[in-house]
Amino acid sequence: DASNGGQVFGSQDQLEVLAEVYDNQQPSHKVDISTTLRANDGRVAFSTNETRDSADLGGKAGGYGYTAVVPLSGLTPGLYVLRVEAKSR
C-alpha cells in the first residue's frame, strides 16, 4: 500500500542501492557497511555486509561508493524497511 508514502514493488523486482559513505576519521581503520531489509514485524528478510579499509582513501578524507542488490523474490506481501548503515571500527 503506497498510500502511506511507501513504494509498491512486485516479487519479480529487485532493489538496487547506490550510496556514498563519507569517512573523515584518522588513523587508518575499517568501515563496516550493511544493508538490511526488515519486515514490518521486525523479521530480517535480507541482509548483506561489506568491509572497507580507510587505507583505500590514500590517507585523505573522502568517500566510498557502495552498491547492493536486494532481491524481492520469495518475500511475502507487506511493509518493509530498507536500511543502509556504516560503522567505523
Side-chain angles (χ1 to χ4, degrees), residues 39-89:
N40 201 36
D41 63 5
R43 174 182 45 89
V44 174
F46 175 85
S47 181
T48 185
N49 299 293
E50 185 174 314
T51 300
R52 298 290 183 91
D53 192 324
S54 65
D56 295 341
L57 299 175
K60 300 176 185 173
Y64 310 100
Y66 172 76
T67 60
V69 175
V70 181
L72 302 181
S73 61
L75 296 181
T76 57
L79 299 176
Y80 291 84
V81 174
L82 178 70
R83 180 177 182 165
V84 177
E85 182 176 32
K87 290 183 181 180
S88 176
R89 286 197 240 160

Side-chain angles (χ1 to χ4, degrees), residues 31-48:
V31 176
D32 296 320
I33 307 171
S34 64
T35 298
T36 307
L37 183 68
R38 287 189 185 271
N40 201 36
D41 63 5
R43 174 182 45 89
V44 174
F46 175 85
S47 181
T48 185

